[in-house]
Amino acid sequence: MPHVDVFNGDADGICALHQLRLAEPRAATLVTGPKRDIALLRRAAQTVCTSVTVLDISLDANRDALLALLGRGVVVDYFDHHFAGQIPRHAGLRTHIDTRSDVCTSMLVDEYLGAAWRVWAVVGAFGDNLGHAAQRLAATLSLSAEQCNAARELGECLNYNAYGDDEADLLVHPASLYARLHPHADPFQFIARDPLFGELRDGRARDLELAHRVEPHAVLDCGDLFILPDGAWSRRVRGALGNQLVDAHPQRAHAVLTHDAAGGYVVSVRAPRAAPHGADRLCRQFHSGGGRAAAAGINHLPRAQLATFERAFARAFGIGGGR
């Protein structure tokens, strides 16, 4: 029976699907793309299928396509941690949705599978910048410090690869990356045996070196805003830079902006690590904005709205603003 796996192309989406298909192998058409290509379900709705599994994309952003699939009698399993809005009640829809700030989709799949492939949930959580949650999971597996560091680096590299405004910005298409990863039940075997890991690691290091040379566009009481130069490296690195900044300055919020083809900006927001709330509410104030409480973004911010965004950022993360 035709089946489609729809997944976010970042570390969390890839590791969530990898766990699921290690436990429940299934031939499937893959639908994925860059991290910000979240309206993926409409592509599944254009295929002939009887069942769909959705991982790590917002139900609210895919509501119309979901309802269309359910209306055709397609069975949908939905795993996600982003803002969902009202969840439809339908016999063909099975949801595993948890929007708490310390949960990611890889962790939801791990719970669903009874920790069958937990080491990959560790990788996914590290990639989604949930270090404390990843460490808690790693402790149940008695991973060594060296293995934890390797899982963190792999997760960060998988996540780095998903950033870009289109597929041309990516080093590897997420479907191809998943195909390279999936033969490896052990992440440490992938690290040791597939040269792709080294290519991702080196590319990420080069991009971050360039990004750290950029001075903040605005320094506010609650956090910093950066506008990176126009270039593919900037679009690839914005998420990794945001994660590094919030790790280095956990009391402060951060926004990383890159130029887009429409003359505006793509925005990546990180709430303070010490108070991981408010990023999604901030970004949903703007058209094409969304995400989760600790990390969110805006797909297109018109240049004329930059000052408005700065003021909204200051309100969102000022005293008491993050909750």
Side-chain angles (χ1 to χ4, degrees), residues 81-239:
H81 67 130
H82 299 92
F83 176 76
Q86 186 173 357
I87 299 174
R89 294 185 178 182
H90 193 283
L93 176 64
R94 298 181 292 239
T95 58
H96 308 265
I97 293 176
D98 187 336
T99 62
R100 288 176 296 167
S101 62
D102 60 347
V103 173
C104 65
T105 305
S106 291
M107 295 167 64
L108 297 179
V109 173
D110 172 70
E111 181 180 9
Y112 170 75
L113 296 176
W117 299 97
R118 174 159 287 181
V119 67
W120 284 103
V122 173
V123 174
F126 273 132
D128 221 36
N129 205 36
L130 297 178
H132 292 305
Q135 291 284 3
R136 288 197 301 270
L137 292 179
T140 69
L141 301 174
S142 300
L143 296 184
S144 67
E146 181 181 7
Q147 287 175 316
C148 280
N149 287 335
R152 178 190 297 274
E153 188 171 33
L154 175 57
E156 290 173 348
C157 288
L158 296 177
N159 211 55
Y160 150 81
N161 181 71
Y163 278 89
D165 287 355
D166 54 42
E167 294 176 6
D169 287 338
L170 309 185
L171 296 184
V172 186
H173 191 280
S176 299
L177 179 53
Y178 169 75
R180 292 277 286 269
L181 198 74
H182 189 62
H184 300 275
D186 183 341
F188 309 115
Q189 289 183 355
F190 174 76
I191 291 171
R193 297 177 183 177
D194 195 317
L196 180 57
F197 170 72
E199 295 170 17
L200 296 176
R201 179 188 58 202
D202 294 346
R204 177 174 177 270
R206 287 193 301 268
D207 291 350
L208 280 168
E209 182 179 1
L210 292 170
H212 282 299
R213 299 175 186 173
V214 178
E215 295 294 324
H217 167 76
V219 178
L220 307 176
D221 289 342
C222 62
D224 302 324
L225 282 75
F226 290 80
I227 299 179
L228 300 185
D230 192 10
W233 71 266
S234 299
R235 296 187 289 272
R236 286 195 300 266
V237 83
R238 63 182 167 233

